[in-house]
Amino acid sequence: MSELSPELVASLEAIVGKDRVLSDADSKAHYGGDWTRVYRPAPCAVVLPGSIEQVQEVVRLAARENLAVVPSGGRTGLSAGAVAYRGELVIALDRLNSISDFNPVERSVRCGAGVITEQLQNFAQEQGLFYPVDFASAGSSQIGGNISTNAGGIKVIRHGMTRDWVAGLKLVTGTGELLDLNRGLMKNNAGYDLRQLVIGAEGTLGIVVEATMRLARPPQDPVVLVLGTPDMASVMEVLEVYQKRMDLQAFEFFSELALQKVVEHQGLQRPFESPTEFYALLEFEQRSEADMELAMELFEHCVEQGWVIDGVISQSVAQAESLWRLREDISETIARWTPYKNDISTTVSKVPAFLAEVESVVNGAYPDFEIVWFGHIGDGNVHLNVLKPDALPKAEFQQRCGEVSRWVFEIVQRYGGSVSAEHGVGLLKKDYLHYSRSALEVDLMRQIKRAFDPAGIMNPGKIFDL
Amino acid sequence: MSELSPELVASLEAIVGKDRVLSDADSKAHYGGDWTRVYRPAPCAVVLPGSIEQVQEVVRLAARENLAVVPSGGRTGLSAGAVAYRGELVIALDRLNSISDFNPVERSVRCGAGVITEQLQNFAQEQGLFYPVDFASAGSSQIGGNISTNAGGIKVIRHGMTRDWVAGLKLVTGTGELLDLNRGLMKNNAGYDLRQLVIGAEGTLGIVVEATMRLARPPQDPVVLVLGTPDMASVMEVLEVYQKRMDLQAFEFFSELALQKVVEHQGLQRPFESPTEFYALLEFEQRSEADMELAMELFEHCVEQGWVIDGVISQSVAQAESLWRLREDISETIARWTPYKNDISTTVSKVPAFLAEVESVVNGAYPDFEIVWFGHIGDGNVHLNVLKPDALPKAEFQQRCGEVSRWVFEIVQRYGGSVSAEHGVGLLKKDYLHYSRSALEVDLMRQIKRAFDPAGIMNPGKIFDL
């Protein structure tokens, strides 16, 4: 529905309070969308519950009225998983933002769904600990949303995804009941681990209202290497050599074209003179002098083998940070070419062949398109960016990219890869889900959703259609 | 049924071959049970398929005939999850034992469900890598069973459970269809992670027939500390201090009574003269001299604070191994008292209060019972062992332990703990599942099972009743 009836507004206000039901156009636009700009936000209203009980009451009301709800966190999603585009009621978790019950022995802390990632990172630091899941939207993304999308980021090869830091979570199901899953236990083999099912379910099984998050030991100073390689195969050799001997914290890559754009537009210096086809960026934690010596020894080995042409190693934290900018500034830099983006993965060792095939298909059909590659190569996750030629009208570019999508996903399928490595499916990737998941898998997902949400009101139409 | 009809035997033989359908008493007893000795194995027959396709065909036949099946791995389970006790057909995975497709870049390898844990550990070692999930039954447990029970062990605080090493798995569902879940991807946020649901499902959702397992970098030489503490609260302080600065590989504990029994019956030496209430055993990987220095510095801090009374640190791998025996030989040593065992967990920080409460309840009612505590205290998993007094007849001891069980699980429930930390539920813990999981959770499990296994033929009666 486009507007709530006065009766429903009154019922909602009775639950959450008078000022917590918003139906002005600004609020609808603000709370009804995410970082994607494809679908126009059009919720019927927005509610801001202040407690888990209020979330339950709102959901029970919605179930009775057969009113679809969309949970809303930091709204930084990139797959339109949190977009309310057809009259849904938005339940924004912003007010469930308290951090409590810090336990230094468990190294765990209880977070409301609305706690902002950076808030948790800062809290951890104040306790002499570390929350290691980090990504560009940490300043506004919320823990509930991170869990619902199993957010990844730049330290996944060392610290894993959000999934790996959730010791317990509370979920309000589609019937308004509360599930308290795993309660912070490290070991619990008593029945199916339903918590794992909820992580990454994008709000389709219910609303994550609270979580017990684990924290890590604080890392020592990071050391960063940027290595120039003649080809992708060499990047893989470098990865293998380093991972066999060191606990890398990051292993990223970017192409020469990506570097060129960043150097030109961000006023950064090239890491070294000689341009090479691809660059690998490695980070490790320096726990003693021995780590630095080992890193240098492996570097020399890679040079001898011809896998590395040139390289640089940071001598200070500041230098490590400035080397990171070569990789982290890419996304912002290429935004001016309104790139067509895809967040895809294969198994790590197949990446070189996969990249070559995608390039050849896209270049063959559209020789005027520039392709910028970068990503988390250590975990097989690459970001494909096709830049719009300046002369090409936007609409025509979009239309041609539609064709590119199909070709890319067909290649993803042949490589057994994922159409969404870390951004989730939402609305944006729904039509492509079958390239990564079988009909049987999608059917099982539907039946599982029905068990958690018999009325089908929890973020319907996301991931798959009912 | 107690015996298969000649027609069914012929149909099975047509699928798996003439010698691969066994119905002699010895085979039934061998393949129909596990390490528990509570239920008498009584399958109708045993089949040994030689391929995934054969498993599918057998399951399809079973579904048509409404014949319950029990998957059988290494049969080392401790909760009767793999016991066929009421005429089920046992599908033994022993023949699916090939290791293939080793990939050094991914550090992954494809294993048939029947690959033995030790076989995988040895394979990893031959490749200069390491499979870190390790436990007493590694010599006979199988990968499929490890996955189905999410096996843990002694290195969980560093390396996690089996769950953390499964990059992909293939499952034959209750309809004989094959699910290929996650295909070895490190990052895949395209829909629900059904792989996670299968891990720890004890064969109730289908039969794990293959898995892609990850391997780790080989560890450096281990250093072991055994520290004597005045009480459990001090053990917790020691844990916190060490974990904040070092990546521990193990943090185990045992009580003075456990040490006494081991010293007396295994001819081992006490680690140091002074007896203390509890002992902590810590292991870390020595990557440089700095690690040893840090460990000593923290040790001195703990002594100054009064948390540690005495301690010993290994100076060689051989010495590390002999210190481990103090902990690892406990189980075997106390077997002569036919102990009543429970594998329970709470959150780590609640362990001291939890232990005290259990002791007080058991000692209050049965002052003649000796309690031996040991376990993986770093992850909140304790093994409660009540020893049978020599004079007490076994039947009476068993009966009194039944009461103990109820009291212990009531305390577990109050502490938000788990009635099965790592052994699974199977038949043995089924009646106690409600102490750890809500009625709603169990109902969701039932519905999920129905989606994977509409005929209800996959290991029925395990974990919960249908």
Side-chain angles (χ1 to χ4, degrees), chain B residues 200-219:
Chain B
E202 304 185 37
T204 60
L205 298 178
I207 301 178
V208 175
V209 286
E210 188 184 283
T212 300
M213 303 302 292
R214 276 200 205 294
L215 304 175
R217 159 180 81 63

Side-chain angles (χ1 to χ4, degrees), chain A residues 262-386:
Chain A
V262 165
V263 166
E264 189 177 333
H265 292 274
Q266 302 289 342
L268 300 179
Q269 290 219 306
R270 296 187 76 90
F272 36 81
E273 291 248 324
S274 33
T276 58
E277 195 79 14
F278 289 103
Y279 300 86
L281 183 152
L282 292 69
E283 184 185 283
F284 63 89
E285 179 188 17
Q286 184 169 15
R287 306 197 57 199
S288 73
E289 260 312 303
D291 289 320
M292 193 62 125
E293 282 162 26
L294 180 55
M296 292 306 296
E297 179 194 322
L298 299 177
F299 170 75
E300 277 155 30
H301 174 71
C302 289
V303 171
E304 274 164 28
Q305 298 292 321
W307 300 327
V308 167
I309 290 167
D310 206 344
V312 59
I313 187 163
S314 66
Q315 302 296 332
S316 66
V317 174
Q319 218 181 335
E321 279 167 7
S322 83
L323 286 173
W324 260 114
R325 286 196 59 198
L326 297 173
R327 160 69 185 83
E328 286 190 313
D329 287 2
I330 297 171
S331 214
E332 189 192 320
T333 305
I334 61 174
R336 70 193 66 201
W337 287 278
T338 55
Y340 163 76
K341 287 165 166 294
N342 258 311
D343 163 46
I344 47 194
S345 69
T346 71
T347 49
V348 183
S349 55
K350 288 182 189 159
V351 168
F354 173 78
L355 254 58
E357 226 174 297
V358 171
E359 284 225 335
S360 129
V361 164
V362 179
N363 286 338
Y366 302 119
D368 52 333
F369 284 6
E370 281 187 318
I371 299 181
V372 170
W373 287 106
F374 64 94
H376 320 292
I377 195 80
D379 50 42
N381 180 191
V382 294
H383 296 296
L384 161 67
N385 294 268
V386 182

Side-chain angles (χ1 to χ4, degrees), chain B residues 77-319:
Chain B
L78 293 168
S79 295
V83 173
Y85 69 118
R86 46 182 189 187
E88 301 96 330
L89 176 67
V90 170
I91 302 183
L93 284 309
D94 301 47
R95 291 175 66 209
L96 302 184
N97 63 349
S98 75
I99 295 185
S100 61
D101 292 353
F102 169 65
N103 188 315
V105 175
E106 318 280 348
R107 297 196 295 188
S108 72
V109 65
R110 187 191 296 253
C111 296
V115 166
I116 289 169
T117 312
E118 203 172 73
Q119 188 188 346
L120 176 58
Q121 290 170 337
N122 292 340
F123 177 87
Q125 203 174 2
E126 284 159 24
Q127 311 302 326
L129 290 169
F130 179 56
Y131 182 66
V133 184
D134 194 22
F135 37 81
S137 62
S140 36
S141 67
Q142 296 177 3
I143 295 302
N146 293 354
I147 292 172
S148 297
T149 56
N150 187 27
I154 54 175
K155 303 263 166 94
V156 168
I157 58 165
R158 175 67 181 273
H159 297 292
M161 314 277 280
T162 299
R163 180 183 301 285
D164 300 293
W165 300 90
V166 181
L169 64 83
K170 289 189 181 156
L171 182 87
V172 174
T173 68
T175 56
E177 286 165 295
L178 186 67
L179 288 172
D180 185 2
L181 299 173
N182 203 56
R183 302 178 305 277
L185 298 171
M186 271 188 80
K187 268 168 129 176
N188 181 14
N189 277 349
Y192 307 167
D193 193 345
L194 300 178
R195 163 188 52 155
Q196 305 289 351
L197 202 52
V198 170
I199 297 168
E202 304 185 37
T204 60
L205 298 178
I207 301 178
V208 175
V209 286
E210 188 184 283
T212 300
M213 303 302 292
R214 276 200 205 294
L215 304 175
R217 159 180 81 63
Q220 305 289 313
D221 284 347
V223 176
V224 169
L225 288 96
V226 174
L227 308 176
T229 68
D231 47 40
M232 275 306 290
S234 298
V235 175
M236 294 294 129
E237 299 283 1
V238 174
L239 176 64
E240 185 185 344
V241 161
Y242 272 90
Q243 281 209 309
K244 208 161 183 169
R245 300 285 297 278
M246 304 188 76
D247 293 329
L248 294 180
Q249 306 207 110
F251 192 99
E252 301 281 311
F253 92 114
F254 45 92
S255 60
E256 166 64 15
L257 186 59
L259 180 63
Q260 278 174 24
K261 302 276 184 200
V262 166
V263 166
E264 189 178 332
H265 292 273
Q266 303 289 342
L268 300 179
Q269 289 218 305
R270 295 187 76 91
F272 37 81
E273 291 249 326
S274 32
T276 57
E277 195 79 14
F278 289 103
Y279 300 86
L281 184 153
L282 292 69
E283 185 186 281
F284 63 89
E285 180 188 16
Q286 183 169 15
R287 306 197 55 200
S288 72
E289 259 312 303
D291 290 319
M292 193 62 127
E293 283 162 24
L294 181 54
M296 291 306 296
E297 180 193 321
L298 300 177
F299 170 74
E300 278 155 28
H301 174 71
C302 289
V303 170
E304 274 164 28
Q305 298 292 320
W307 300 327
V308 167
I309 290 167
D310 206 343
V312 59
I313 188 163
S314 67
Q315 302 295 333
S316 67
V317 175
Q319 218 181 334

Side-chain angles (χ1 to χ4, degrees), chain A residues 131 133 135 146-147 150-152 160-166 213:
Chain A
Y131 182 66
V133 184
F135 37 81
N146 294 353
I147 291 172
N150 187 25
M161 314 277 281
T162 299
R163 180 183 302 283
D164 300 293
W165 300 91
V166 181
M213 303 302 291

Side-chain angles (χ1 to χ4, degrees), chain B residues 394-411:
Chain B
K394 201 167 165 180
E396 194 183 332
F397 177 68
Q398 294 287 0
Q399 179 258 313
R400 287 208 214 161
C401 284
E403 296 180 9
V404 171
S405 244
R406 202 166 41 80
W407 299 333
V408 169
F409 288 141
E410 276 166 12
I411 300 172

Side-chain angles (χ1 to χ4, degrees), chain B residues 411-431:
Chain B
I411 300 172
V412 167
Q413 184 173 35
R414 258 193 295 114
Y415 278 79
S418 177
V419 297
S420 186
E422 57 177 5
H423 294 167
V425 177
L427 294 171
L428 217 53
K429 303 288 179 70
K430 188 169 67 171
D431 292 342

